[in-house]
Amino acid sequence: MRIHFHGHACFEIEGEAGRILIDPFLTGNPSTTAKPEDFTQLDAILVTHGHRDHLGDAIQLSKQTGAIIIAVFELAAYCQSQGAKTHAMHIGGKRLFPFGWVKLTHALHGSGIEDPEGGNMIFVGPPCGFLLKIEGKWLYHAGDTGLFGDMELIGLRHPLEVAMLPIGDNFVMGVEEAVHASQFLRPKVVIPMHYNTFPLIAQDVREFLHLLQRRAPESQGKVLKPGEMFEV
């Protein structure tokens, strides 16, 4: 199984049973070289919430590839209204897809889409994170979130191979909170995300790696530059 990083919070996970994309913010993303037209075959697109730097190109990619968008009910309904194929879920629910299991987790954030006509915000349900079981391995994409105590329960119930955690602060967890989250989750590997895309979320990733090694030595920090891949 291969995990490709496409900048910000966008990950492509490629396994024997399928290929999925999470939070496909490609157009307008200054930290990626990938483009929507690079993706001609996808099985599913997972979207954690409706903000433009996460929903991104999901609707276009669904129309382009025929992939289903998996999201909370309200966001899935919005995407369906725009012509995308969707599968609606909600927090706490799980489902087996051809590529593996998907389970939705809590996330502390917001979720809305700017109305292109009126300039107002369309609220599209709560944000979420994703637990994935692919080829027998548990992966966790936290989405945009602050630190919360139930991360410890996630770690206790799911032996995590990889956790993808935001570290950018301001809108999400900062470095120290992400390290604390790693202590709760106890994954083998932590991949930091959602940092340095814009000046407001600039972070020194070396500080994260240093603190992780000191406080959660059972977890290995793995920094991926956009375009890089990690094999699980």
Side-chain angles (χ1 to χ4, degrees):
M1 179 168 49
R2 293 175 295 278
I3 299 175
H4 304 262
F5 182 51
H6 294 300
H8 202 54
C10 179
F11 289 86
E12 174 191 351
I13 300 173
E14 197 178 3
E16 291 182 1
R19 184 184 186 195
I20 67 173
L21 204 57
I22 305 175
D23 283 357
F25 173 43
L26 304 173
T27 302
N29 181 352
S31 68
T32 190
T33 57
K35 304 178 292 296
E37 50 267 34
D38 295 336
F39 297 90
T40 57
Q41 189 279 321
L42 287 171
D43 295 285
I45 302 159
L46 280 58
V47 183
T48 61
H49 63 291
H51 293 160
R52 65 179 179 84
D53 59 331
H54 294 266
L55 176 61
D57 299 288
I59 293 169
Q60 176 187 338
L61 285 164
S62 173
K63 294 177 181 178
Q64 178 175 301
T65 65
I68 56 169
I69 293 175
I70 300 172
V72 298
F73 176 84
E74 295 85 354
L75 179 54
Y78 171 82
C79 294
Q80 187 175 28
S81 75
Q82 302 301 304
K85 291 175 61 177
T86 66
H87 180 92
M89 296 183 67
H90 236 300
I91 293 164
K94 65 182 183 294
R95 186 172 180 85
L96 180 60
F97 293 90
F99 60 85
W101 284 96
V102 176
K103 185 174 184 178
L104 272 61
T105 71
H106 184 49
L108 296 176
H109 199 60
S111 182
I113 298 169
E114 294 179 18
D115 183 352
E117 296 182 2
N120 297 318
M121 189 69 74
I122 303 169
F123 291 100
V124 284
C128 74
F130 289 109
L131 275 166
L132 308 171
K133 191 176 186 183
I134 300 174
E135 297 179 7
K137 296 180 173 68
W138 283 103
L139 314 175
Y140 175 50
H141 187 294
D144 276 11
T145 188
L147 177 68
F148 57 91
D150 281 353
M151 286 181 173
E152 186 169 19
L153 187 60
I154 292 172
L156 285 170
R157 296 195 65 213
H158 310 88
L160 296 175
E161 195 76 22
V162 177
M164 293 155 265
L165 302 180
I167 68 165
D169 221 334
N170 195 78
F171 297 110
V172 293
M173 294 188 290
V175 164
E176 290 199 4
E177 291 82 7
V179 170
H180 202 146
S182 301
Q183 291 174 310
F184 280 159
L185 294 162
R186 297 178 296 178
K188 291 181 183 177
V189 175
V190 181
I191 302 175
M193 65 175 182
H194 204 282
Y195 69 99
N196 290 355
T197 314
F198 310 107
L200 194 56
I201 55 172
Q203 292 292 331
D204 183 353
V205 74
R206 293 170 300 180
E207 180 187 357
F208 172 74
L209 294 175
H210 175 68
L211 281 177
L212 185 71
Q213 187 177 35
R214 279 180 51 205
R215 299 181 185 177
E218 68 278 6
S219 297
Q220 175 197 355
K222 181 70 176 176
V223 175
L224 295 180
K225 295 178 182 177
E228 289 188 335
M229 179 268 290
F230 174 69
E231 195 165 302
V232 181

